């Protein structure tokens, strides 16, 4: 039996500014999925990167009075540096402007689509949102403005290369409705199907060299044109695997992977669930198997943004102030599967203090203290006690399957909840069994009480060990502290010590 193989990717953000907490959400979600599948014994490759070849980046550099390369390098480095503050287990990180793998792959993808007859050059005039890097029809605007950015698009007229998106509409619909291309949640799947049913129009896949300020990958055999940034960026999922250089990684992680999973924000569903699969169909390449869509983080009801306006939240500063586990925990515990989530530091602090200091930390400390007090730090052998621990052991046994199912549904809150049920059941077990009373009865010579105390302590330590194991994909630092506290050293557990401090005194 072969080991399942999962290729998991994030989107690659523009680098017109430094990273914000909204993208950190996607990184943490992707990392959690990757860690979880690795914990289950699967082969996993986790990719992120930066989208360097955008007009937004060029305009940001002009506004800052620096050359484009300087701005792109500086901000791309800031995105790459999220690895340690967010405890990311990335296997690869690609930069589209400087990674030699990327241009070769984009050029090959372009030529494959050209050979399929899906590229043609024509004059065009339309409304262009620089923020989205996308043309819109008047019907797609809200009061004449881009719904995503609230800005009036520019009117652009030039001759570009176009991709025959319309040719692939029927096949896309068939793949989505048949489940070969899975889009979650269902509301996003329905959104994509409605887009297809409304009629897919061919879209521009190049920009004039002049309008792009010369920044980007030249169109093969047409140096007066630059490859459209979304065509360029979407290709990273295969170019990072050496698609343009015959690297065997492409075969291993794309062509032969069991799951090819893209995590994306709701604002870029069209590109990932329509444009990208159509490009792959044209080139004769396998499609992603899963497109998992998250909603936005907001501040005061407004989408978190790199551009400021009072909505920027720096994830590095946040982890420096409150710790990596607290930030990851809030993103996974409090952000719903469907719907935007409003962020405040107070909410993060309250969640961390309630769950870490008051929940996990208190539980583990109580249990280890009792093992030392009543059994000199030695954990009794696990037995059974239908009166006190059966329910706890049942919850522990059920947790892995429930977490698997929740993460399979792209529901991080439900997955964390399945682990948290162990905490709640362990507390109920302590309240029901009352180990201190069993210890008192044992000292009075009650052999049955001694046996029951052994069973209770063993089950409680087992629960802590399951927690340490199952929480590792979500909060690896906290999980490792729990695991160390309930792992014997020299035959006995380490002395009980506080695992988590309170963030608010």
């Amino acid at each position: 039996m072969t080991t399942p193989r999962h290729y998991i990717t994030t989107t690659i953000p523009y680098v017109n500014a430094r990273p914000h907490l909204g993208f950190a959400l996607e990184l943490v979600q992707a990392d959690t999925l990757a860690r979880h599948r690795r914990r289950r014994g699967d082969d996993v490759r986790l990719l992120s990167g930066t989208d360097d070849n955008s007009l937004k980046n060029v305009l940001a550099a002009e506004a800052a009075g620096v050359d484009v390369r300087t701005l792109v390098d500086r901000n791309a480095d800031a995105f790459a540096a999220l690895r340690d503050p967010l405890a990311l287990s990335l296997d690869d990180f690609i930069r589209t402007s400087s990674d030699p793998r990327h241009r070769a792959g984009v050029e090959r993808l372009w030529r494959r689509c050209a050979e399929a007859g899906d590229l043609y050059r024509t004059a065009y005039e339309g409304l262009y949102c620089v923020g989205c890097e996308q043309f819109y029809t008047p019907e797609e605007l809200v009061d004449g403005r881009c719904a995503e950015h609230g800005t009036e698009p520019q009117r652009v007229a030039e001759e570009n290369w176009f991709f025959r998106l319309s040719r692939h509409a029927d096949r896309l619909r068939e793949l989505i409705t048949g489940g070969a291309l899975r889009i979650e949640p269902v509301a996003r799947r329905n959104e994509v199907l409605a887009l297809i049913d409304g009629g897919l129009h061919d879209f521009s896949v190049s920009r004039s060299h002049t309008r792009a300020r010369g920044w980007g990958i030249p169109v093969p055999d047409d140096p007066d044109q630059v490859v459209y940034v979304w065509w360029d960026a979407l290709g990273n999922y295969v170019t990072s695997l050496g698609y343009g250089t015959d690297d065997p990684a492409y075969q291993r992680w794309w062509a032969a992977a069991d799951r090819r999973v893209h995590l994306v924000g709701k604002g870029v569903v069209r590109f990932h669930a329509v444009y990208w699969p159509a490009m792959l169909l044209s080139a004769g390449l396998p499609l992603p198997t899963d497109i998992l869509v998250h909603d936005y983080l907001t501040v005061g009801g407004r989408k978190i943004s790199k551009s400021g306006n009072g909505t920027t939240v720096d994830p590095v500063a946040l982890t420096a102030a409150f710790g990596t586990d607290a930030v990851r925990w809030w993103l996974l515990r409090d952000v719903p599967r469907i719907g935007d989530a409003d962020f405040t530091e107070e909410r993060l602090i309250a969640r961390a203090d309630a769950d870490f200091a008051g929940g996990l930390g208190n539980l583990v400390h109580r249990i280890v203290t009792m093992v030392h007090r009543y059994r000199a730090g030695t954990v009794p052998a696990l037995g059974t006690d239908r009166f006190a621990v059966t329910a706890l052991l049942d919850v522990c046994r059920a947790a892995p399957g429930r977490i698997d199912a929740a993460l399979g549904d792209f529901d991080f809150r439900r997955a964390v909840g399945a682990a948290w049920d162990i905490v709640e059941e362990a507390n109920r077990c302590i309240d029901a069994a009352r180990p201190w009373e069993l210890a008192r009865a044992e000292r009075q010579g009650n052999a049955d009480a001694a046996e029951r105390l052994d069973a209770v302590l063993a089950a409680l330590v087992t629960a802590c060990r399951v927690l340490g194991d199952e929480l590792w994909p979500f909060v690896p630092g906290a999980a490792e502290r729990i695991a160390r506290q309930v792992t014997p050293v020299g035959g006995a557990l380490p002395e009980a010590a506080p695992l988590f401090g309170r963030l608010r005194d």
Side-chain angles (χ1 to χ4, degrees):
M1 182 176 179
T2 58
T3 302
R5 194 175 299 156
H6 299 254
Y7 179 44
I8 301 172
T9 72
T10 72
T11 55
I12 54 172
Y14 299 132
V15 291
N16 55 308
R18 294 175 64 83
H20 60 65
L21 189 63
F23 184 58
L25 168 66
E26 186 171 302
L27 286 168
V28 169
Q29 289 180 337
D31 181 72
T32 298
L33 292 180
R35 287 177 178 272
H36 173 70
R37 292 318 324 167
R38 292 189 191 107
R39 204 66 160 184
R40 296 295 189 252
D42 297 347
D43 287 339
V44 176
R45 184 181 181 93
L46 176 60
L47 169 73
S48 189
T50 55
D51 183 355
D52 300 354
N53 297 327
S54 166
L55 180 58
K56 287 183 71 168
N57 301 336
V58 175
L59 297 178
E62 290 178 355
V66 300
D67 65 88
V68 183
R69 172 55 63 192
T70 298
L71 179 130
V72 165
D73 287 349
R74 180 176 66 210
N75 288 336
D77 286 345
F79 279 90
L82 292 174
R83 180 191 299 261
D84 289 340
L86 295 176
L88 304 175
S89 58
L90 292 169
D91 297 292
D92 197 3
F93 189 94
I94 187 168
R95 289 190 49 197
T96 59
S97 70
S98 58
D99 195 310
R101 298 172 295 179
H102 186 63
R103 177 168 175 172
V106 169
E107 290 175 344
R108 175 175 284 188
L109 188 63
W110 182 280
R111 294 186 190 280
R112 288 288 294 268
C113 293
E115 291 165 4
D118 280 336
L119 297 178
Y120 61 94
R121 184 164 175 163
T122 189
Y124 182 76
E125 182 175 350
L127 299 169
Y128 192 74
C129 173
V130 175
C132 295
E133 293 279 14
Q134 179 183 348
F135 282 103
Y136 285 104
T137 64
E139 295 75 22
E140 292 175 307
L141 302 176
V142 178
D143 297 328
R145 295 177 178 271
C146 166
E148 182 76 11
H149 293 93
T151 56
E152 293 184 7
Q154 303 172 357
R155 180 160 290 279
V156 173
E158 62 185 24
E159 186 170 302
N160 297 142
W161 286 92
F162 274 68
F163 176 74
R164 297 185 195 278
L165 180 65
S166 54
R167 175 181 287 181
H168 302 283
D170 291 344
R171 181 61 177 148
L172 281 175
R173 192 178 211 294
E174 178 184 331
L175 290 165
I176 293 168
T177 56
L181 177 55
R182 173 179 173 244
I183 303 170
E184 290 287 346
V186 171
R188 298 301 170 196
R189 172 181 177 272
N190 293 339
E191 175 187 321
V192 172
L193 290 173
L195 182 65
I196 294 172
D197 291 343
L200 296 182
H201 303 287
D202 298 353
F203 68 99
S204 171
V205 292
S206 73
R207 303 291 181 260
S208 71
H209 186 274
T210 301
R211 187 156 68 91
R213 314 290 208 274
W215 183 257
I217 298 175
V219 169
D221 306 316
D222 191 353
D224 291 337
Q225 294 277 305
V226 171
V227 174
Y228 171 42
V229 63
W230 271 103
W231 179 287
D232 172 333
L234 289 165
N236 92 92
Y237 302 125
V238 293
T239 66
S240 61
L241 301 173
Y243 167 69
T245 61
D246 296 321
D247 190 317
Y250 168 78
Q251 178 64 30
R252 174 174 175 79
W253 292 106
W254 189 264
D258 295 276
R259 311 303 298 181
R260 296 175 289 274
V261 181
H262 296 328
L263 274 74
V264 308
K266 65 180 179 180
V268 296
V269 173
R270 174 197 305 243
F271 301 102
H272 286 83
V274 179
Y275 290 8
W276 174 232
M279 291 161 58
L280 293 167
L281 287 173
S282 176
L285 305 180
L287 271 59
T289 59
D290 304 82
I291 298 174
L292 308 179
V293 186
H294 62 82
D295 288 343
Y296 290 150
L297 294 186
T298 60
V299 171
R302 292 188 298 165
K303 177 191 171 188
I304 289 179
S305 163
K306 295 196 296 290
S307 57
N309 300 321
T311 63
T312 296
V313 179
D314 181 355
V316 175
L318 210 59
T319 58
F322 304 115
T324 297
D325 286 326
V327 173
R328 286 180 66 114
W329 189 247
W330 186 85
L331 292 172
L332 298 167
R333 177 92 153 124
D334 279 18
V335 174
R337 181 173 184 256
I338 298 172
D340 296 343
D342 206 62
F343 171 80
T344 67
E345 288 188 0
E346 282 303 305
R347 288 178 180 141
L348 183 149
I349 292 168
R351 174 59 70 187
D353 282 350
D355 287 0
F356 285 167
L360 277 169
N362 183 58
L363 176 68
V364 175
H365 191 274
R366 287 179 75 192
I367 291 169
V368 174
T369 296
M370 287 189 291
V371 172
H372 275 276
R373 181 174 297 158
Y374 305 137
R375 292 296 180 265
T378 301
V379 181
L382 184 63
T384 59
D385 181 343
R386 65 185 184 277
F387 299 107
V389 301
T390 300
L392 176 58
L393 295 177
D394 286 345
V395 169
C396 290
R397 282 189 287 265
R402 293 176 60 207
I403 291 170
D404 288 352
L407 292 182
D409 288 340
F410 192 51
D411 193 335
F412 296 93
R413 179 185 275 183
R414 196 173 98 222
V416 169
W420 199 255
D421 285 347
I422 299 175
V423 176
E424 294 180 342
E425 189 58 43
N427 281 320
R428 281 193 288 269
C429 175
I430 293 171
D431 291 342
R434 305 179 72 81
W436 50 92
E437 292 185 359
L438 294 175
R440 187 182 308 118
E442 178 186 26
R443 288 194 297 272
Q444 295 169 354
N446 188 323
D448 181 65
E451 184 177 348
R452 292 192 63 186
L453 180 58
D454 280 346
V456 170
L457 294 177
L460 290 170
V461 172
T462 296
C464 292
R465 289 171 178 166
V466 173
L467 280 168
D469 192 54
E470 294 301 325
L471 287 175
W472 182 79
F474 306 96
V475 279
E480 288 171 5
R481 287 196 289 279
I482 293 168
R484 284 196 300 269
Q485 183 69 87
V486 292
T487 299
V489 177
L493 298 184
E495 290 287 342
L499 295 182
F500 310 103
R502 294 182 61 83
L503 299 182
R504 184 196 290 117
D505 294 331

